[in-house]
């Protein structure tokens, strides 16, 4: 099939697969879609290794990298101050630390080794830029920015190297800003998506974004896209392709944690919740005792980004390996309800395309008869 | 065009238009879709008059009636007790009454004439049944049930008169229950819809419901359907038609209150909220000072259905005609963002079909090239 998105990258199918796992990224690109590696959790050195591996395993097919450069976060005004991390740490209230430790204890999670809150991840301009530098040294085809439009100089540098830029938007106004910032395509992401997400549904958002950015900027539909009928719906709404994420968590190649995978396979579409309990910004997660506790009675409330993650970062691996497992959660969208078996990524791509073709054929038949 | 839904009713377009306004119902049926009158706010006597008017103004085209027969509500176990209303009234806490009166006073709304909480509307089995009796005396083609499957005897009586039955469902499990209860079609309504709504988006819900009810039961997609691209998306998801509601609030024929209409025309897709502040069950409304107050700090919380409505019923007309207008709200879905001008209902139908055809044509072109 052929859309402006397939033309832009010379790919077979307009299926963009966001994943933090290099194996998934390479597998989707090899299958005719485009894998996009989420850089957030990697140090620049780690990212370098991941991308070198992907370069060797895509057979020359294009792939992308996704960074997080939020336009707004606590400490943004602290600029380049070397002590940004320490200053943000001092802003975390003791009550929040106590609430967290009590919650962990109640669920039998092993105590902290005292290494908490050492990280900002790539959640600030300061920490995301080195990731961009690494990414641009590799033959990437796409640089995506997950929160807010990428800074103008980043767009220019990417374009200078022939790299296309995509921005994620959860409202027509944000999409317009992204288009004005010079992105080559906009990902219109509905509230049903996993991870950071707005409150407008994909069904409502995509046509709004298509109209807002105008004919010059192709749009990818994101949120609630896990099967071919949903891909057909996304394109019917005016998109030139689909941006997917959740469905790659349960493919054979994925490195999804062992305590998470069975929860994903068992969950229904009603088992997610939009919560600030992981990163400080609203993001959709599997609803578990973790999200219930932070959103429920007795919670001190969630801290703003990036402090909420700084607070909980050290607890997450401990939750993943110890305790009763009830706190274990993971970012995932409402399509989790249809993720009920483990298949190779290439098979997911082919089943998407197969059902897509059936849906389009059926639609054509409704007006012909 | 032709789907199982158009075949079922002999209509031209699979567009079902829910409205509380008889003029809209008749106009959509005359334009080739199917108008469905929401009976909730009418006494049996009023409903009789409305349906007699519709019978005279549809030119023999089919139309439907929508009643609310919730499977669960406070007082359901009180059965046929004549004093159901009084007993429910006595269960409304004084704190809630005080919160309401204070809220109204702060916004300059005229005081109560002491007629509060006289109504249950059609929100109980006891009050909805007389509406069903009236409806079945008219040549209706469809009886729809908005909350939970209709009781078996109601389904049987409708079928005995050649009337098709539809049930609204916001989860695959509910849809399966409706199909088991013998409904002829299921309306799969996503969270973006106006009025009572679940938490799963249309994009995710429709394929789940289509698969859950099986090939024997056609599905209508509802929630977020306001234009032709969205109609195409709904059908791409596997539906045989679309169920729409919000978009008819701003047509020329609608009797939408004068203080509501400008708010609807000005609202964006981000200006709605899912709240229990009107009926006691989660429903999507225009976000205003009313929903903010009930959901915010200092709120005593919302009462269960039907008590929340009993509490606020008398205040709603007072809010509509007096005070600063900030409390004025209305049930509407996220498509309110695209409702920016007043057009005749027939033109809305034709523009839906026109854009639908363009979207299907474009989709076909993507795979042909």
């Amino acid at each position: 099939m052929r859309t402006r998105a397939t033309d832009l990258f010379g790919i077979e199918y307009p299926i963009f697969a966001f994943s933090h796992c290099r194996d998934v990224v390479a597998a989707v690109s090899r299958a005719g879609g485009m894998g996009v590696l989420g850089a957030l959790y990697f140090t620049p050195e780690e990212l370098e290794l991941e991308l070198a591996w992907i370069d060797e395993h895509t057979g020359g097919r294009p792939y992308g990298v996704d960074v997080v450069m939020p336009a707004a976060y606590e400490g943004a005004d602290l600029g380049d101050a070397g002590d940004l991390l320490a200053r943000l740490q001092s802003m975390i209230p003791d009550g929040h630390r106590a609430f967290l430790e009590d919650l962990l204890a109640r669920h039998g999670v092993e105590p902290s080794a005292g290494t908490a809150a050492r990280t900002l991840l790539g959640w600030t301009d300061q920490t995301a830029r080195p990731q961009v530098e690494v990414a641009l040294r590799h033959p990437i085809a796409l640089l995506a920015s997950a929160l807010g439009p990428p800074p103008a100089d980043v767009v220019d540098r990417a374009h200078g190297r022939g790299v296309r830029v995509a921005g994620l938007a959860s409202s027509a106004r944000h999409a317009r800003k992204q288009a004005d910032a010079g992105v080559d395509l906009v990902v219109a992401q509905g509230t049903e998506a996993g991870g950071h997400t707005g409150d407008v549904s994909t069904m409502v958002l995509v046509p709004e974004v298509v109209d807002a950015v105008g004919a010059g900027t192709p749009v990818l539909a994101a949120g609630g896209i896990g099967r071919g009928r949903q891909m057909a719906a996304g394109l019917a709404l005016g998109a030139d392709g689909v941006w997917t994420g959740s469905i790659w968590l349960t493919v054979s190649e994925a490195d999804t944690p062992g305590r998470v995978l069975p929860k994903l396979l068992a969950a229904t579409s009603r088992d997610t919740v939009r919560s600030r309990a992981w990163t400080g910004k609203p993001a959709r997660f599997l609803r578990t005792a973790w999200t219930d506790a932070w959103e429920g009675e007795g919670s001190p409330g969630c801290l703003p980004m990036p402090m909420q993650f700084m607070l909980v970062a050290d607890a997450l691996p401990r939750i993943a390996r110890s305790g009763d497992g009830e706190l274990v959660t993971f970012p995932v969208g409402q399509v989790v309800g249809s993720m009920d078996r483990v298949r190779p990524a290439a098979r997911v791509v082919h089943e998407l395309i197969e059902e897509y073709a059936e849906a389009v054929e059926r639609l054509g038949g409704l007006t012909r008869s």
Side-chain angles (χ1 to χ4, degrees), chain A:
Chain A
M1 60 184 295
R2 193 171 167 189
T3 73
R4 291 183 297 175
T6 61
D7 282 355
L8 211 49
F9 299 103
I11 54 179
E12 208 170 339
Y13 310 120
I15 299 171
F16 294 73
F18 173 87
S19 175
H20 291 289
C21 172
R22 65 188 187 185
D23 301 79
V24 173
V25 169
V28 173
S29 285
R30 285 198 309 274
M34 175 128 103
V36 182
L37 185 75
L40 181 66
Y41 294 103
F42 300 115
T43 64
E45 297 71 29
E46 288 166 346
L47 185 60
E48 171 60 37
L49 292 174
E50 301 296 301
L51 298 186
W53 186 93
I54 292 174
D55 291 339
E56 281 170 27
H57 290 83
T58 51
R61 304 286 189 107
Y63 73 94
V65 169
D66 180 281
V67 295
V68 181
M69 305 187 101
Y73 52 89
E74 287 296 313
D77 55 335
L78 299 179
D80 290 331
D83 58 350
L84 174 61
L85 183 58
R87 291 174 68 174
L88 286 171
Q89 280 213 42
S90 71
M91 291 160 69
I92 297 177
D94 287 342
H96 281 73
R97 297 191 195 275
F99 174 78
L100 173 62
E101 288 311 319
D102 177 60
L103 176 64
L104 296 172
R106 274 188 284 124
H107 288 277
V109 176
E110 66 187 45
S112 169
T115 56
R118 287 248 177 99
T119 182
L120 289 172
L121 296 185
W123 265 322
T124 64
D125 190 79
Q126 202 176 324
T127 51
R129 280 184 177 269
Q131 297 177 334
V132 172
E133 296 309 313
V134 170
L136 290 179
R137 285 201 296 269
H138 288 265
I140 64 171
L142 173 69
L143 182 70
S145 174
L147 288 173
D153 66 302
V154 170
V155 175
D156 288 345
R157 294 207 40 237
H159 283 167
R161 293 178 173 254
V163 175
R164 305 290 184 173
V165 179
L168 267 75
S170 56
S171 75
R173 195 170 60 82
H174 290 157
R176 184 68 245 167
K177 261 170 90 172
Q178 303 260 14
D180 289 345
V183 305
D184 302 286
L185 66 174
V186 167
V187 181
Q189 181 173 276
T191 187
E192 54 268 69
H196 292 115
T197 184
D199 47 16
V200 180
S201 80
T202 301
M203 184 68 91
V204 172
L205 181 67
V206 173
E208 283 189 350
V209 167
V210 167
D211 293 347
V213 300
T217 311
V219 171
L220 304 180
I225 317 275
R227 46 192 309 170
R229 280 179 264 173
Q230 290 156 337
M231 179 174 165
L235 272 66
L237 292 172
D240 274 274
V242 292
W243 176 274
T244 56
S246 302
I247 52 169
W248 310 106
L249 294 172
T250 49
V251 296
S252 333
E253 293 90 341
D255 56 359
T256 304
R259 287 180 121 183
V260 172
L261 186 63
K263 289 196 178 196
L264 295 179
L265 294 172
T268 77
S269 56
R270 305 188 68 185
D271 294 331
T272 72
V273 66
R274 199 165 154 261
S275 161
R276 293 172 52 230
W278 190 311
T279 74
K281 284 193 194 270
R284 188 172 299 280
F285 281 83
L286 209 55
R287 182 180 168 174
T288 70
W290 176 265
T291 54
D292 284 350
W294 282 99
E295 305 292 334
E297 299 248 339
S299 163
C302 300
L303 296 170
M305 176 178 279
M307 285 150 60
Q308 179 72 13
F309 188 81
M310 289 171 62
L311 170 64
V312 306
D314 171 65
L316 297 176
R318 287 187 283 138
I319 291 169
R321 67 175 178 252
S322 68
D324 62 15
E326 287 180 20
L327 295 173
V328 172
T329 181
F330 213 74
V332 73
Q334 292 185 338
V335 291
V336 71
S338 64
M339 292 156 47
D340 51 8
R341 67 217 145 101
V342 175
R343 294 165 292 167
R347 195 180 307 159
V348 172
V349 171
H350 294 140
E351 287 181 11
L352 268 166
I353 293 300
E354 202 168 64
E355 191 178 295
Y356 170 83
E358 285 168 14
V360 173
E361 175 63 26
R362 172 176 172 275
L363 262 192
L366 299 179
T367 31
R368 275 198 300 276
S369 56

